[in-house]
Amino acid sequence: MFWIVTPSSPSIFGPPLDVYRISLLIPLLLVQVVHGVTVHVYIYGGQADALLYTNGSIIYVNGNQTLNVPNSTLEVYVESPLPYTVFINGVQTDNLSLSPWRHDVINITVRPVIFQFNITVKGPGTVVVKFPNSSQVKVNESTSLQVQEGTLLTITVNPRPGYTVGNWSNGFVGNQVWYMVYNNTNITVYFVKSPPTVRNSPAISYSGLGLLAVLGGVYWFTRRK
């Protein structure tokens, strides 16, 4: 007994062997290996650069691009000049290994890191918080601001007449300070009455009075002559 294997003949070792279909797939596989695959890279949300490392070569991407890469493991690294949270294909990370054959789209999303900046005013006065873009917020009692990490704030206090800055909750000194936000922050400014002004009486110079008396006597004596 012998078997004749045709494209639709059953195999003695398993399901039917479709030799014809396999022969069609081989050229496609060879094309993928030789010519690589097409990958689309998209960057959303802010400024970021991507480095794609594959087969010993590095591809630099700084915007939306379509690339042809070898069909091998692709290492994706994302860098940003600002403190951002990075997502690659929905995963929160700044580096990820992908297979171009399975992932032909690389979505890179960068989101700024936001902190809460809370400031409270105690006493008669106001506080002005100024941002680098010259926008500002006036605080009469208390407010909560969402501030991007690394933002430099200018904080100016304005006590009412007859009042002064008593102290800051975090040890600041003066009526104007600068603060760079790197975490959630709570600041309280206390205004108190200004101390009374002490007026000192002018000191009396007895030697000066004596000199005036002598000069007056000389003048009176000469007038009599």
Side-chain angles (χ1 to χ4, degrees):
M1 177 183 295
F2 61 91
W3 291 84
I4 300 176
V5 179
T6 65
S8 59
S9 298
S11 170
I12 59 174
F13 302 105
L17 180 63
D18 197 334
V19 179
Y20 177 71
R21 292 183 180 178
I22 293 178
S23 65
L24 292 178
L25 287 175
I26 291 176
L28 294 177
L29 294 174
L30 291 176
V31 168
Q32 294 293 339
V33 172
V34 175
H35 298 287
V37 294
T38 300
V39 173
H40 307 280
V41 181
Y42 301 99
I43 299 178
Y44 304 96
Q47 183 180 356
D49 300 324
L51 298 177
L52 310 183
Y53 181 79
T54 178
N55 278 5
S57 61
I58 298 177
I59 304 173
Y60 174 75
V61 180
N62 62 355
N64 299 339
Q65 292 188 32
T66 298
L67 308 169
N68 188 271
V69 299
N71 185 26
S72 59
T73 301
L74 188 64
E75 301 285 343
V76 182
Y77 299 89
V78 179
E79 297 179 348
S80 175
L82 298 175
Y84 283 134
T85 301
V86 179
F87 295 84
I88 303 176
N89 283 4
V91 180
Q92 183 175 340
T93 180
D94 58 2
N95 64 86
L96 192 66
S97 298
L98 300 172
S99 172
W101 177 254
R102 300 180 61 184
H103 302 89
D104 60 346
V105 175
I106 301 175
N107 291 314
I108 299 172
T109 304
V110 290
R111 299 175 184 172
V113 179
I114 301 297
F115 290 113
Q116 291 293 124
F117 182 81
N118 305 312
I119 188 161
T120 303
V121 176
K122 297 290 187 180
T126 60
V127 174
V128 176
V129 180
K130 187 176 181 180
F131 290 82
N133 62 359
S134 296
S135 64
Q136 58 186 28
V137 177
K138 184 177 181 180
V139 183
N140 295 307
E141 294 182 354
S142 64
T143 191
S144 180
L145 305 173
Q146 290 190 336
V147 182
Q148 183 174 336
E149 180 182 1
T151 300
L152 180 63
L153 301 176
T154 303
I155 308 172
T156 305
V157 298
N158 301 298
R160 290 183 184 176
Y163 289 83
T164 186
V165 178
N167 66 289
W168 299 71
S169 61
N170 58 345
F172 286 158
V173 177
N175 285 12
Q176 187 176 69
V177 297
W178 291 264
Y179 183 78
M180 186 166 288
V181 178
Y182 278 111
N183 48 35
N184 294 323
T185 305
N186 296 286
I187 294 178
T188 302
V189 183
Y190 297 89
F191 294 106
V192 297
K193 282 189 175 182
S194 301
T197 303
V198 178
R199 295 183 178 180
N200 297 322
S201 300
I204 299 176
S205 175
Y206 292 100
S207 60
L209 291 177
L211 179 60
L212 287 175
V214 171
L215 292 175
V218 171
Y219 175 76
W220 180 78
F221 181 77
T222 55
R223 291 281 294 177
R224 288 191 61 184
K225 289 184 175 183

